[in-house]
Amino acid sequence: MEPQRSDAGSSVDRATGQPGGGGLDQQDASRTRTPLSLERIVGVAIELIESEGPDSLSMRRLASRLGSSTMATYHHVADRQALMEAIAQRLLSELDPAVNPAGSKEPVDADRRGWVDLVRSEVSAFLELSRRHPATFAALLRTRPTALVTRVEGIEADLVAAGLDELPARLVVRTTARYLMGSVMGEQAAISAGQTMDEMNESFSFGLGALLEGMAARVG
């Protein structure tokens, strides 16, 4: 009569159909897996957008890249728009800290038309940000997260602090923002046409300078 075989140590993982070893292997894998955090989620989301395009982000695809479930991701971020807010905050934190922070209480030198230098610095910083994260920057422009809107509104406030009236300040920001967006969209075409980065920088600086000089002449 054959002795009865024990099931201990020979269990099968019902999820994978593979030998499970009593679940100990799964527990070890769970312990060694990189834990989820908002910082990691944002970083992987940016990687996903940069590799697959500005419209590629979904919570399901993100969870797949993270090696987690969609529900686990929702423990850290409520939905896609909340994730875009976190991404915006991450990217905006990369802007040159030497630039006068949007909405700051630091005075702008109105006697030397300091608002012109402020706008030039902000627009140039945004251009460099778009070059580091082109697809993610495009995604932010499409979704208009609060962090980005607040930054722009802060620039308007700084221009008013420099002595501009509210309407001219708003028009200056809108006009330069459109110049920036047009330049960002045109850079890929310029690269395809064989332009170097130095040539693109020269064209951008020339156009921005002419634009700011023209607006300064009109608004004072």
Side-chain angles (χ1 to χ4, degrees), residues 11 14 18 21 36 73 87-88 101 107 129 138 142-143 159 167-168 190 198 212:
S11 61
R14 294 180 182 178
Q18 301 298 321
L36 280 182
T73 306
I87 290 172
L129 185 66
R142 296 177 187 183
T143 56
L159 299 188
L167 179 57
D198 286 342
L212 290 174

Side-chain angles (χ1 to χ4, degrees), residues 101-218:
S104 73
K105 302 303 181 183
E106 294 297 324
V108 180
D109 185 358
D111 294 336
R112 297 182 58 252
R113 287 182 176 171
W115 68 265
V116 173
D117 294 332
L118 169 63
V119 174
R120 192 193 310 275
S121 296
E122 286 281 355
V123 173
S124 298
F126 270 105
L127 177 66
E128 291 304 318
L129 185 66
S130 75
R131 288 171 173 173
R132 290 195 297 272
H133 309 284
T136 308
F137 190 81
L140 295 184
L141 293 180
R142 296 177 187 183
T143 56
R144 290 178 57 82
T146 302
L148 181 60
V149 173
T150 300
R151 176 88 184 194
V152 173
E153 290 175 345
I155 298 171
E156 289 185 22
D158 280 340
L159 299 188
V160 172
L164 295 184
D165 292 334
E166 289 186 7
L167 179 57
R170 188 176 307 119
L171 291 175
V172 166
V173 170
R174 287 179 180 176
T175 302
T176 51
R178 287 172 181 171
Y179 175 75
L180 170 66
M181 288 186 286
S183 298
V184 169
M185 290 187 291
E187 285 205 342
Q188 286 304 314
I191 292 172
S192 299
Q195 286 191 23
T196 66
M197 186 61 67
D198 286 342
E199 289 173 328
M200 288 191 293
N201 286 337
E202 184 179 37
S203 297
F204 180 82
S205 297
F206 178 83
L208 179 59
L211 184 63
L212 290 174
E213 288 172 13
M215 289 190 293
R218 296 195 62 174

